[in-house]
Amino acid sequence: MSRTGAPTAQRRTTLQPLGYGAIALLTVALVALAVSALGVSLVVAGGSYDPPAAGLPDPGALVVWGVPALRLLTEIAALATIGWLLAACILDPAGKDGVISQVGRVDAIRASIAALIWSVLALMQMFFVLANVLGITLSQAVNPAVFATYASDIPATRALMVTALLAFVVAFGAFITSTIGAQAGWLLVALVAVALPVLGGHGAGLGDHALAITSGVAHILAAVVWIGGLMALALHAMRRDGSVQRSLQRFSAIAIVAVTLLAVSGVANAYTRLDTITELITTGYGQVVLAKALIIICLGAIGWVMRDRLVAKVGKSGGVSLFARMAGLELAIMAVAVGLGVTLASSAPPRLQTAFNSFGETLLGFAYPPPPTVLTVGLGFRLEPLFLTLGLVGAALYCIGVARLRARGDKWPWGRLIAWLLGIGIMVWCTNAGIATYSQVSVGLHMFQHMTMTMLAPIMLVLGAPATLALRALKPSHGTERGPREWLMWFLHSWITRVLTNPFYVFFIYVLGLYGLYMTPLFGWLMGSHAGHVFMQFHFLAAGYLFYWVLIGIDPRPKPLPYWGRLLMLMLALSVHGFFAVAMMMASTPLASEWYGVVQPEWIVDPLRDTLIGAQVAWGLSEIPTVIVLIVIAVQWSRSDEREAKRFDRQADRDNDSELTEYNARFALLADRDKQD
Ligand code: HEM
C-alpha cells in the first residue's frame, strides 16, 4: 500500500494533473518533431534549398526553408485554434442556455491566443512567400513598394493576407463572446481561414484542378479538426478538467468522419500529383506520400483501439491517464504526418503542369470540348468532386432518416423522398455532366445550367423538407447538451434563419445572382478560378433554395409569408427575370466577354448569337418552374384553408361554437340599439 493509500499499480497508472510548464514542454517537443519531419522529408522530396544557376533569381536559403517552416507553424497554430473552439462549443457538454461553460470559457481564451499567434505567423509567411515567388530576398520583400505592388496580385500571398485578417477576427471574437452559437461562428470562420491558402496553392495548374483543389481543402480541414480536437481533449485529460469521457464520446463520431475524409482526400490529392503508381517508389515525393499512407494506417489502428477499449474505460479510475498517454502518442505520430504533409504541399509534384494549345484552354484547365450534341451535353461527364460528394452524402443521409422513421413505424411521404432525390440528381447532373463543361465555354449552355441549378433543383430539394425529416429522425441529446438535433433547432429559430428567409433579403440575392453577376465584371472574375466557379454554383443553388423555401417550403421558418405575398413575390421574380432576358436579347455586345471572349472554342463562331440563345433560354426556362411553383402554392393554400376550416370546426365542436354565438349576440345587440334609436 503506497503513502497516498492507493494500491501501487493504481498510483503507477494515475497521472497527477500536469502543470502548464510540463504541457508547454510537451508542446515544444511535438512542434520540434513536426519540424524535423518537415526538414528530412523536404530533402527527400526535393523541396529543400538548392542554389539556382547563376543569373537566375535566388531568394536565398532563409526564404526557401522559411516558407515551408512557417507554413507548418501557421498550420499548427490554426489547428490549435480550431481544436479549442471545437472543444468550447461542440465537445464540451456543460454549456447551458446557449452559454459556454467555465471550462469552455478557458478553451475560448486559449483559442483566442492561438488565433493571434496564427495571424502573426500567416503574415510572416506571406512575406516569405512573396520573396519566394518574386525570387527576391526577404528584406526586399518587406519593402512597402514591393508589397503594395505585388502582394494582392499573387493568389498565394493574397490568400495568406485574408487568412491573417480572419485569424485576427477570430482571436478578438473568441475572446469577447461567450455564447455557444458565437463560438461556433468563430469556428466556421477559422475553418474558412485555414482552407484559403490551399485554394491559392499549386493545385490550380494541374489537369484535374477541380479534384486537386477540392481534395486539398477537404484534406486540410479533416486534418485540423481531427488533430485539433484530439489535442484539446488530451490537454483536458492532462489537466484533469472538463468531462473528458463525455467529450471523448462526442469527439469519436467526429474523428471517424475526419479520418475517413483525410484518407480519401489524401489519396485523391496524391492521385492528382503523380502520373503513375510506380512514382510512389521511384520519386521522393511519392515516397513521402507512401510514408503518410503508412502513418494513417497506424493512426487508424490506434484510433480503433481507443474507440473500442478506451472510451468505456475513461470514466473509471486511471482511464483518463491512459487516454492522455494514448493521445500523446497519437499526437506525436500526427506531428510527423503534418510535417510530411507540408513538405508535399511545398514541393513540386512529379506530375507536370499540363500544357494546352491555347490560353483559353489553360484557363479552363482542360481542352475545348467538341461542338455540343444532346449526347455530349446530356451524358458527358467531368468530375466535380465537391457537388458529387455532397449529392451522395445528401441522398444517403436522407434515406437513412426515412429508414429510421419507418423502422419505428412513423410515416414519411414518398413524394418528399422522390422530390429530394430528384433535386440531388439535378444538382449532380448540372455540375458533373457534359453541361458543366459546355457551360464554361458557351453563354447559351451556361444559362441552361444556371436556370436548372437555381430553379429546378432547389424546388425539388425544398419539397423534400429535409429539416423536418432531420428533426423527426435525430435523437434528442442528454439533458441540456446541444447535439445535432438541438443545433438544428437552434439554427431554425436563430436570427440567421430569420435573415436568410426574409423575403426582401431572399429577393435581393435572387436578383443579384442575375444582374450583379452578368452586368458587372464579377462573372469573369469568378470564372477565373476554380474556387470562384464553385462559389458561383453554390450561389445559384443556395439563392434558389432560400427563394423557394420562402415560397413553397414545408420546413419550419420564423415568419412564413402569407400565400398572397408568395404569389406576389413569384410574379415579381418572373418580371425581374423577364427584364434580364430582354436586356440580354437587346445587347449589342456578347455577355461576360471578359471570360467568353477569351475562352472561345472554334465552333462558337458568333458570340453575340450565343448570348442571344442564352437570353432565350433565360426567358423560356423560367416559365416551367414558375408554373410548378404556382400549382404548389395553390395546392398548399387550399390545404391550409382546409386545415383552418377543420381547426375552426373542431374549436366550434369543443366550445359549442361560442364564436358564432358571440357574433350573433353582437348583431342582435346592434339591431336592438337600432330599434331604440
Ligand atoms: C492516406 C494517407 C495520406 C495521403 C495520401 C496524404 C496526401 C497528402 C498530399 C498529396 C498532400 C499535399 C497537398 C497539397 O499539395 O496541397 C498532403 C498534405 C497534407 N496532409 Fe496528407 N495525406 C495523408 C494522410 C495525412 C494524415 C494522416 C495527416 C495528419 C494527421 C495529413 C495531414 C496533411 C497536412 C496538414 C497537409 C498539408 C496541407 C497544406 O499545407 O496545404 N495527411 N497530404
Side-chain angles (χ1 to χ4, degrees):
M1 187 66 75
S2 70
R3 272 182 289 106
T4 59
T8 322
Q10 190 181 358
R11 182 170 55 70
R12 209 174 26 258
T13 54
T14 307
L15 270 180
Q16 297 311 312
L18 283 190
Y20 278 112
I23 290 171
L25 269 180
L26 277 175
T27 310
V28 171
L30 284 175
V31 173
L33 194 55
V35 172
S36 334
L38 174 72
V40 174
S41 55
L42 272 174
V43 174
V44 173
S48 58
Y49 177 67
D50 222 354
L56 287 178
D58 179 13
L62 172 68
V63 168
V64 175
W65 282 107
V67 168
L70 277 167
R71 184 179 183 125
L72 177 65
L73 296 176
T74 310
E75 279 175 19
I76 291 174
L79 66 85
T81 307
I82 286 161
W84 277 316
L85 286 171
L86 194 72
C89 68
I90 306 278
L91 302 181
D92 175 26
K96 277 200 185 64
D97 312 324
V99 177
I100 53 178
S101 71
Q102 199 43 47
V103 174
R105 184 78 215 128
V106 176
D107 278 339
I109 292 169
R110 288 175 180 143
S112 170
I113 297 166
L116 206 56
I117 297 169
W118 177 14
S119 179
V120 173
L121 286 169
L123 219 51
M124 285 169 65
Q125 190 191 341
M126 190 277 296
F127 282 108
F128 273 71
V129 170
L130 188 63
N132 200 25
V133 172
L134 298 176
I136 58 177
T137 61
L138 192 61
S139 52
Q140 290 167 319
V142 293
N143 173 327
V146 172
F147 169 77
T149 315
Y150 297 104
S152 57
D153 287 346
I154 302 166
T157 50
R158 193 170 54 221
L160 282 166
M161 281 197 284
V162 180
T163 294
L165 179 67
L166 291 180
F168 183 77
V169 170
V170 169
F172 183 69
F175 189 79
I176 61 161
T177 56
S178 49
T179 63
I180 298 176
Q183 298 300 332
W186 303 127
L187 176 61
L188 280 182
V189 174
L191 289 171
V192 170
V194 82
L196 285 177
V198 178
L199 294 175
H202 57 177
L206 288 169
D208 306 309
H209 66 226
L211 184 60
I213 292 175
T214 309
S215 61
V217 169
H219 200 65
I220 189 87
L221 291 178
V224 291
V225 166
W226 190 28
I227 308 170
L230 186 67
M231 178 220 61
L233 282 181
L235 182 79
H236 282 303
M238 291 172 190
R239 298 279 312 150
R240 288 282 190 292
D241 58 16
S243 43
V244 176
Q245 187 187 13
R246 191 72 195 104
S247 301
L248 189 54
Q249 282 161 349
R250 298 169 76 112
F251 181 61
S252 92
I254 297 172
I256 290 180
V257 174
V259 70
T260 314
L261 189 60
L262 197 63
V264 173
S265 61
V267 171
N269 204 286
Y271 161 78
T272 64
R273 317 236 176 229
L274 302 166
D275 274 322
T276 61
I277 196 143
T278 51
E279 284 175 343
L280 280 172
I281 313 288
T282 57
T283 65
Y285 188 98
Q287 288 154 14
V288 176
V289 170
L290 214 50
K292 294 191 73 181
L294 294 176
I295 284 177
I296 208 168
I297 294 166
C298 293
L299 288 170
I302 297 172
W304 186 259
V305 172
M306 282 172 97
R307 189 180 154 77
D308 196 41
R309 302 222 195 113
L310 201 57
V311 173
K313 265 205 194 134
V314 166
K316 304 198 179 89
S317 119
V320 172
S321 315
L322 185 58
F323 166 68
R325 285 197 182 91
M326 292 284 278
L329 169 68
E330 227 183 335
L331 285 168
I333 300 173
M334 286 169 164
V336 175
V338 174
L340 300 187
V342 173
T343 289
L344 294 176
S346 319
S347 312
R351 183 186 286 199
L352 301 173
Q353 305 235 352
T354 320
F356 293 102
N357 302 333
S358 68
F359 176 60
E361 287 165 311
T362 308
L363 269 183
L364 279 176
F366 53 82
Y368 285 141
T373 64
V374 174
L375 276 184
T376 54
V377 171
L379 299 179
F381 179 78
R382 176 176 298 284
L383 177 67
E384 188 0 280
L386 186 60
F387 282 100
L388 183 64
T389 312
L390 288 178
L392 294 174
V393 171
L397 289 177
Y398 195 97
C399 293
I400 292 168
V402 174
R404 205 181 259 189
L405 255 61
R406 289 194 175 267
R408 66 173 195 235
D410 288 352
K411 289 205 169 23
W412 184 255
W414 286 111
R416 291 184 187 171
L417 172 66
I418 294 165
W420 178 259
L421 295 179
L422 208 55
I424 295 270
I426 295 170
M427 176 191 84
V428 170
W429 179 80
C430 278
T431 50
N432 284 267
I435 182 76
T437 305
Y438 282 97
S439 72
Q440 300 185 55
V441 297
S442 151
V443 176
L445 289 163
H446 169 83
M447 271 307 155
F448 190 93
Q449 182 205 39
H450 177 167
M451 294 303 143
T452 315
M453 192 74 167
T454 207
M455 290 182 152
L456 226 45
I459 290 174
M460 294 304 152
L461 293 173
V462 158
L463 290 175
T468 309
L469 174 68
L471 288 174
R472 290 183 54 192
L474 289 168
K475 292 196 189 75
S477 284
H478 309 271
T480 58
E481 286 183 18
R482 194 182 274 191
R485 189 174 188 282
E486 289 73 26
W487 272 107
L488 181 58
M489 286 289 277
W490 170 82
F491 176 75
L492 289 173
H493 294 88
S494 72
W495 62 268
I496 304 167
T497 304
R498 254 201 309 283
V499 170
L500 289 180
T501 55
N502 177 301
F504 296 102
Y505 169 78
V506 165
F507 197 77
F508 171 70
I509 59 160
Y510 197 62
V511 173
L512 189 73
L514 281 178
Y515 296 84
L517 190 63
Y518 299 111
M519 306 293 180
T520 68
L522 186 61
F523 182 82
W525 187 73
L526 287 173
M527 286 298 276
S529 73
H530 177 69
H533 191 222
V534 168
F535 173 79
M536 199 166 56
Q537 305 282 357
F538 256 117
H539 171 86
F540 292 159
L541 193 70
Y545 190 93
L546 294 176
F547 185 74
Y548 293 111
W549 184 13
V550 169
L551 289 195
I552 54 171
I554 298 158
D555 285 335
R557 55 204 177 281
K559 280 210 194 95
L561 210 55
Y563 288 100
W564 61 267
R566 301 178 198 195
L567 281 182
L568 181 66
M569 209 171 147
L570 184 64
M571 291 308 124
L572 279 175
L574 196 61
S575 48
V576 162
H577 247 265
F579 289 138
F580 173 75
V582 170
M584 267 179 83
M585 286 176 196
M586 315 271 282
S588 54
T589 54
L591 189 85
S593 51
E594 71 279 353
W595 173 262
Y596 290 112
V598 181
V599 178
Q600 195 178 326
E602 280 148 12
W603 44 268
I604 301 253
V605 282
D606 179 356
L608 198 54
R609 188 166 168 282
D610 185 32
T611 295
L612 185 62
I613 293 170
Q616 289 159 347
V617 169
W619 177 275
L621 259 191
S622 57
E623 311 298 340
I624 304 162
T626 306
V627 172
I628 297 173
V629 172
L630 264 178
I631 295 167
V632 174
I633 291 179
V635 171
Q636 289 180 341
W637 199 341
S638 69
R639 283 201 186 143
S640 104
D641 280 357
E642 265 166 40
R643 272 196 306 276
E644 191 63 18
K646 281 201 188 106
R647 194 183 61 74
F648 198 74
D649 293 348
R650 274 198 304 276
Q651 177 70 27
D653 294 345
R654 264 200 306 277
D655 61 8
N656 285 331
D657 222 341
S658 61
E659 199 174 323
L660 187 62
T661 322
E662 264 168 45
Y663 180 80
N664 290 339
R666 203 174 316 121
F667 267 98
L669 198 67
L670 290 173
D672 288 349
R673 210 183 291 153
D674 291 351
K675 270 198 214 116
Q676 284 159 10
D677 294 347

